Amino acid sequence: MDKISINNEKCIGCGMCVKDCVASSLYLDGGKAKFREGCIECGHCFAICPTGAIDMPNYDTENCGKITPASEIDSDKLLGFMKSRRSARHFKDIPVEQEKIDKILEAGRYAPTGANSQNVAYTVLGTKQDALEKECVKLFRAGVSIGKNFSASLKNTNIDNNFFFKKAPLVIVVSGRDTTNATLASAYMELEATSLGLGVLYSGFFVACSRINPKIFHMLDLPRGHKAVTCMIFGYPEMSYKRVAPRKPLKFKKL
């Protein structure tokens, strides 16, 4: 099956898809758009066609609604929203609704990936959450017992049975071959989750455990060649912050 198909009856030969094709896989011939090898399936042609002449048979296109213009989003409110986010470490004993989980995953699915590789995967820990946390706690306790001799902060660290997931109802591991793609997807997911009233915590400790402990890695059952890039903890937060937390002065250089 072709990566894209072009309906000649709908095509008006405007050339917009040709102009915007990242891989130069489209060209005009006889006043109609034509397709050749090299397509990376980015979907730009599908999205830009004014008459809907282009289809992508291998993709879910029925849920592709109209574009939401960036001009509809107030930039000051968006910046204020991003500045207001805080890492949540205390969660209410309330499950996250499936509808919200679906929206969080959908946000990750639509994050950009290099060369449109779409090579990011999402693992909801579900029934394995407690068992994975137990293994991580056991591993981390052994490490901290040694590290306390060298770090003042570790001396005050209490590694309880909920140290990693904080009794949160939802944990998603974002994985991939490419760190950048998975990180971008995670950022999209966090923004969506926060807009849904959820708190989010990135557990770097869990990611570290998954990379040094083969048992934990195998329990995750990630796609072949993938590594855990982020571990995202979601739930309804107990804490309510009253003001934006301070940041150090901006450091930038103009070349």
Side-chain angles (χ1 to χ4, degrees):
M1 185 177 290
D2 289 337
K3 295 179 179 179
I4 68 170
S5 63
I6 303 171
N7 186 323
N8 283 332
E9 293 183 2
K10 290 184 177 181
C11 178
I12 60 175
C14 66
M16 294 301 295
C17 61
V18 175
K19 184 177 181 179
D20 204 40
C21 182
V22 177
S24 299
S25 294
L26 292 168
Y27 63 99
L28 287 179
D29 182 18
K32 299 291 182 179
K34 301 294 182 181
F35 172 71
R36 59 190 170 205
E37 293 183 355
C39 174
I40 64 170
E41 304 176 51
C42 67
H44 279 225
C45 58
F46 174 89
I48 205 169
C49 181
T51 62
I54 295 178
D55 190 22
M56 299 182 70
N58 298 323
Y59 284 78
D60 169 21
T61 57
E62 292 185 1
N63 296 315
C64 295
K66 293 183 178 180
I67 292 290
T68 301
S71 58
E72 292 185 5
I73 303 173
D74 186 283
S75 61
D76 290 332
K77 289 184 178 179
L78 177 61
L79 180 59
F81 166 65
M82 291 189 289
K83 290 167 67 174
S84 299
R85 62 80 52 201
R86 307 300 315 148
S87 292
R89 292 178 173 83
H90 304 277
F91 299 95
K92 296 177 181 178
D93 186 19
I94 302 174
V96 177
E97 300 89 335
Q98 186 61 48
E99 179 184 357
K100 293 189 176 182
I101 297 174
D102 292 342
K103 287 184 177 181
I104 293 167
L105 294 172
E106 186 76 343
R109 184 166 76 109
Y110 272 86
T113 55
N116 192 41
S117 55
Q118 300 185 44
N119 57 357
V120 180
Y122 311 90
T123 302
V124 179
L125 298 195
T127 57
K128 286 188 177 182
Q129 182 172 320
D130 291 342
L132 279 162
E133 184 165 41
K134 184 177 180 179
E135 288 297 324
C136 287
V137 166
K138 182 168 59 177
L139 176 65
F140 209 63
R141 277 175 176 160
V144 168
S145 64
I146 299 173
K148 284 181 177 181
N149 298 319
F150 308 97
S151 171
S153 62
L154 287 178
K155 290 181 180 179
N156 299 319
T157 301
N158 176 33
I159 313 298
D160 62 20
N161 293 333
N162 306 113
F163 178 78
F164 283 86
F165 301 147
K166 314 298 182 187
K167 298 182 180 180
L170 174 65
V171 180
I172 301 176
V173 172
V174 184
S175 67
R177 299 172 183 269
D178 183 281
T179 299
T180 301
N181 290 342
T183 302
L184 286 170
S186 302
Y188 270 49
M189 293 166 69
E190 181 187 9
L191 288 173
E192 177 65 20
T194 306
S195 76
L196 295 170
L198 299 171
V200 185
L201 174 67
Y202 289 95
S203 178
F205 288 137
F206 179 83
V207 172
C209 288
S210 74
R211 294 184 180 182
I212 64 177
N213 187 305
K215 182 176 181 179
I216 294 171
F217 178 79
H218 288 300
M219 287 175 69
L220 281 174
D221 192 26
L222 302 178
R224 186 177 181 85
H226 276 220
K227 61 182 178 182
V229 177
T230 65
C231 173
M232 305 184 71
I233 300 167
F234 302 90
Y236 288 97
E238 279 189 352
M239 303 300 181
S240 177
Y241 298 96
K242 309 304 180 187
R243 59 192 61 82
V244 173
R247 284 288 190 267
K248 294 179 180 179
L250 177 65
K251 297 179 182 179
F252 75 97
K253 180 187 293 184
K254 185 176 181 180
L255 300 178

